[in-house]
Amino acid sequence: MRGGLAQVLALIYVNGAYSLADSTVQSSFKSLDRFSRGYVTVEDMMLKLTTLSEADARAMMTDADDNGDRVLQLSEWKDALGALVPNSRRIKEPSFASGLANLTTTTTTTTSSPSTRFSS
């Protein structure tokens, strides 16, 4: 899941740090919610996070889906991100998987890629 996790973290990487600000979390959620339904499915995650395997997407869904409805609402997404990045403003940049180039977000404008190590 290393590449998929890197892509998830890239969704909340803003101005040189991870951000769990409401606007960043909402923007990352909207980038996954391809039909603006208010929830994200395993298929939505796999389409956006191209390095995420189906098994990893399902495992991520199972871990984050608090109410068991097999989709993620915004609140569940925010909780999942918080679990991944508990000290979000103080974590150094990870190295992102090669598949990250396929990921585009509207919340991040950077001129270079993060380059330090990340372990999952």
Side-chain angles (χ1 to χ4, degrees), residues 29 38-40 65 67 69 71-78:
F29 183 81
Y39 60 86
V40 173
D65 183 18
N67 64 6
D69 62 357
V71 296
L72 295 182
Q73 281 81 30
L74 178 60
S75 62
E76 293 168 323
W77 176 247
K78 184 171 186 169

Side-chain angles (χ1 to χ4, degrees), residues 62-108:
T62 299
D63 289 344
D65 183 18
D66 292 334
N67 64 6
D69 62 357
R70 293 189 234 168
V71 296
L72 295 182
Q73 281 81 30
L74 178 60
S75 62
E76 293 168 323
W77 176 247
K78 184 171 186 169
D79 290 346
L81 293 176
L84 288 173
V85 188
N87 298 312
S88 61
R89 298 303 294 183
R90 294 184 293 268
I91 291 181
K92 293 186 178 188
E93 306 168 7
S95 62
F96 292 96
S98 60
L100 186 60
N102 296 330
L103 180 66
T104 57
T105 65
T106 57
T107 60
T108 307

Side-chain angles (χ1 to χ4, degrees), residues 23-42:
S23 60
T24 304
V25 172
Q26 287 172 355
S27 179
S28 67
F29 183 81
K30 286 179 183 180
S31 74
L32 295 173
D33 182 9
R34 61 189 166 133
F35 297 116
S36 299
R37 299 169 295 203
Y39 60 86
V40 173
T41 65
V42 167

